[in-house]
Amino acid sequence: MTARPATTIDLTTAPHPVVYEINTWPWLHAMASRQGAAVDLGSVPDRHWDDLAGLGCDAVWLMGVWQRSPAGTAIALANEQLKSSFSAALPDWQPADVVGSPYCVRDYVVDAHLGGPRGLAIAREALRSRGLGLILDFVPNHVAPDHPWTTTNPDLFVVGTDEQLEQDPASFVRVGDRILANGRDPYFPAWPDVVQLNAFAPELRAAVDQTLRRIAEQCDGVRCDMAMLAMNEVFAQTWCGFVGPTPETDFWPTVIQAVRQEHPRFVFLAEAYWDREWDLQQQGFDFCYDKRLYDRLLDGTADQVDGHLHADPDYQRRLVRFVENHDEPRATTAFGYERSKVAAITALTQTGLRLLHHGQLTGSQVHLPVFLRRYPDEPTDTALEAFRQAFLPVLTDPTLRHGEWRLCRRSGWPGDDRFHALVSWCWTGEHRWLIAVNLSDSTAAGRIQPPWEDLRGQAWRLVDPTQHTHFVRSGNDLADGLFVQLPPWGWHLLRVEPTTEPAAAR
């Protein structure tokens, strides 16, 4: 693959970037096990950074680099439900394998086990020299119960009473001489290993501003955990009766604008649910999770996916498309083997930011709890590896990074509704790409019509590099509506290029 330039991409202006998520602690542990020697972020062999650059991504999200909490680890080891999840993922786990949740942050300093601040600086330079940006985590809603703020700045937290602790010990905890609320969202029980920050407190917003400024000196952007929980409306719904009046200004515009005064290119990426994506975009986020597309691919219909993709293109360009991340099950487990490939093609060739998860396209099936420091041994699936090698270069095509995305019209014939299982879209730029998928377990057939009137009067070669097939069709066929027939969970991922070969008869 062509070498990448030694300049970091500006994710705030890149139209359609690709980010690769790595669970940092298990990634380093696996590397150390293969080498027979300790490896931290400062001593990763160059070939591993070269491998990441070879994937063609624009940035790497090193998930879970911050200092983890001994108190949170002790809580996890006492939780029978969590221990069951550890056994399911890693049957031979030992207490030493439980290093705590990366979202139970003891302090926003790189964990010494991972190489500390110096190790991260070396890793960032290694990425930057290969043209890759660096994304880290930020958790706006809660911290570990042994975070320094719990003693130095207790007014930053949602505070309870002795009576509330006695009546609801699952939702409150004593920290020093204070009763603090455990973190939670409005729909589920509290998280026992974290304490809740008060998003309405001006002092917290100032503290978050300073924390994010320090983080911004170490990376190119942050993925903000459960970002919608800090919005005024959601926070008021969750903590009504525990906090004061709603501020006039919302949390995120206040914080993001302050950070960007010093770091104007710093990227804010929101983990977002409950249809809050547009709201968070308006509040300053560059990109927001598109969980709705994931859910529709997993449990919905092609009509629902097609309807979802009719949303405004400018809004869609700022969504994060994925079929797997550290919160979701492995794609091969959630979707099944064949569906996982068409789901990946559907999600990752849309407009917006495309998120890949380490192990996703090599057949990993175990969803590792984030508390654990090592992966189980899993063989590489050679067939999925071959698919990865064919598919990932498509994502590096300049058209899918800088071109124009459009949804294609689909249609059928009277009495034949099989086209409803099809979804189709196209890309125009340095090259042309035409993509059609069958999101059903039955054969789908119909016409797909890209907005390419200029193709008329010439033959065109349609090449699918993921299936090593090609077709020749007339430009009139493409402009009028190309007939496609796809098997269950099938796809066409077609590069469209001019040819002098004769077009096939219709």
Side-chain angles (χ1 to χ4, degrees):
M1 187 170 291
T2 304
R4 299 292 298 278
T7 55
T8 303
I9 191 168
D10 182 354
L11 293 175
T12 62
T13 58
H16 315 287
V18 175
V19 173
Y20 190 77
E21 180 192 0
I22 290 174
N23 188 341
T24 308
W25 205 310
W27 181 64
L28 293 173
H29 188 279
M31 209 178 294
S33 295
R34 288 192 296 269
Q35 292 194 183
V39 178
D40 62 25
L41 288 170
S43 59
V44 172
D46 284 345
R47 68 180 183 275
H48 293 288
W49 301 124
D50 292 340
D51 288 344
L52 291 175
L55 295 172
C57 56
D58 300 298
V60 172
W61 167 17
L62 289 176
M63 191 276 285
V65 304
W66 305 123
Q67 190 178 106
R68 306 203 186 189
S69 163
T73 301
I75 292 169
L77 283 167
N79 187 304
E80 294 301 323
Q81 185 176 358
L82 280 177
K83 289 195 290 186
S84 294
S85 72
F86 302 160
S87 296
L90 192 66
D92 64 339
W93 74 273
Q94 300 296 319
D97 292 315
V98 182
V99 292
S101 169
Y103 298 99
C104 176
V105 176
R106 169 67 175 78
D107 204 354
Y108 283 98
V109 177
V110 180
D111 200 296
H113 293 87
L114 305 179
R118 182 176 181 275
L120 181 68
I122 293 171
R124 186 187 188 190
E125 183 54 35
L127 291 169
R128 182 181 298 184
S129 70
R130 292 162 174 80
L132 302 178
L134 173 62
I135 305 295
L136 300 177
D137 295 290
F138 178 66
V139 187
N141 306 293
H142 49 72
V143 294
D146 51 354
H147 189 286
W149 286 350
T150 59
T151 55
T152 62
N153 300 83
D155 293 337
L156 302 181
F157 296 88
V158 175
V159 177
T161 65
D162 288 308
E163 182 180 2
Q164 288 168 331
L165 174 62
E166 182 178 354
Q167 293 177 349
D168 188 4
S171 299
F172 296 89
V173 62
R174 183 179 297 279
V175 179
D177 60 355
R178 297 285 187 105
I179 306 299
L180 302 182
N182 289 119
R184 66 179 175 90
D185 74 24
Y187 303 112
F188 292 95
W191 300 299
D193 59 343
V194 291
V195 287
Q196 180 66 47
L197 295 165
N198 182 359
F200 284 177
E203 298 84 0
L204 177 70
R205 297 182 180 198
V208 166
D209 173 23
Q210 293 303 312
T211 300
L212 280 169
R213 287 174 191 259
R214 290 195 299 272
I215 292 173
E217 294 171 356
Q218 303 173 72
C219 63
D220 303 293
V222 283
R223 176 264 194 191
C224 296
D225 185 68
M226 298 287 279
M228 69 288 176
L229 292 183
M231 297 171 65
N232 280 359
E233 181 182 350
V234 177
F235 192 80
Q237 174 189 354
T238 310
W239 296 105
C240 179
F242 289 90
V243 294
T246 303
E248 291 185 6
T249 58
D250 224 303
F251 180 89
W252 287 116
T254 303
V255 170
I256 291 175
Q257 290 171 18
V259 173
R260 286 212 171 119
Q261 289 177 3
E262 189 172 332
H263 302 278
R265 296 174 58 191
F266 195 67
V267 174
F268 284 87
L269 191 160
E271 180 190 19
Y273 305 111
W274 315 329
D275 297 321
R276 295 286 180 169
E277 299 85 359
W278 187 87
D279 297 324
L280 287 165
Q281 288 180 8
Q282 304 315 299
Q283 293 191 9
F285 277 92
D286 300 289
F287 302 100
C288 299
Y289 272 33
D290 188 3
K291 180 64 159 54
R292 185 68 66 185
L293 177 61
Y294 173 88
D295 289 340
R296 285 172 169 156
L297 286 171
L298 184 61
D299 297 316
T301 65
D303 281 338
Q304 290 173 324
V305 172
D306 184 78
H308 185 83
L309 297 177
H310 272 85
D312 180 77
D314 288 337
Y315 161 72
Q316 293 196 63
R317 190 183 64 78
R318 296 170 64 190
L319 294 175
V320 178
R321 270 57 194 265
F322 59 88
V323 291
E324 186 180 300
N325 57 56
H326 69 269
D327 288 313
E328 308 297 346
R330 289 293 191 177
T332 53
T333 301
F335 291 91
Y337 185 83
E338 291 301 326
R339 280 185 67 196
S340 70
K341 291 184 284 187
V342 73
I345 287 171
T346 304
L348 301 177
T349 62
Q350 302 301 333
T351 181
L353 185 151
R354 283 69 68 91
L355 178 65
L356 288 163
H357 185 211
H358 182 64
Q360 171 182 337
L361 294 178
T362 55
S364 295
Q365 297 185 24
V366 174
H367 178 219
L368 190 76
V370 294
F371 298 81
L372 297 179
R373 68 172 179 173
R374 64 181 173 98
Y375 290 117
D377 291 329
E378 289 189 89
T380 296
D381 186 301
T382 55
L384 267 183
E385 174 67 13
F387 170 74
R388 179 190 74 83
Q389 291 179 356
F391 175 53
L392 288 188
V394 175
L395 296 186
T396 70
D397 187 288
T399 302
L400 271 74
R401 296 301 178 88
H402 305 286
E404 179 187 7
W405 171 95
R406 292 281 297 275
L407 192 64
C408 295
R409 183 174 178 268
R410 56 188 184 144
S411 61
W413 300 270
D416 187 346
D417 63 358
R418 291 179 297 165
F419 77 93
H420 282 287
L422 295 172
V423 184
S424 178
W425 55 98
C426 64
W427 287 87
T428 308
E430 185 173 325
H431 304 112
R432 297 181 198 253
W433 289 88
L434 178 61
I435 303 153
V437 295
N438 175 6
L439 299 181
S440 78
D441 57 5
S442 302
T443 299
R447 293 189 184 278
I448 57 174
Q449 188 173 11
W452 290 340
E453 284 293 321
D454 61 310
L455 299 190
R456 292 185 183 277
Q458 184 177 346
W460 296 84
R461 192 168 186 257
L462 283 57
V463 181
D464 187 335
T466 64
Q467 301 184 93
H468 309 292
T469 57
H470 78 275
F471 316 93
V472 178
R473 297 290 185 268
S474 75
N476 289 358
D477 281 354
L478 284 161
D480 290 336
L482 181 70
F483 170 75
V484 298
Q485 181 169 305
L486 290 170
W489 315 117
W491 70 86
H492 286 316
L493 181 57
L494 302 170
R495 186 176 65 249
V496 180
E497 52 195 32
T499 184
T500 58
E501 298 176 64
R506 295 180 64 179

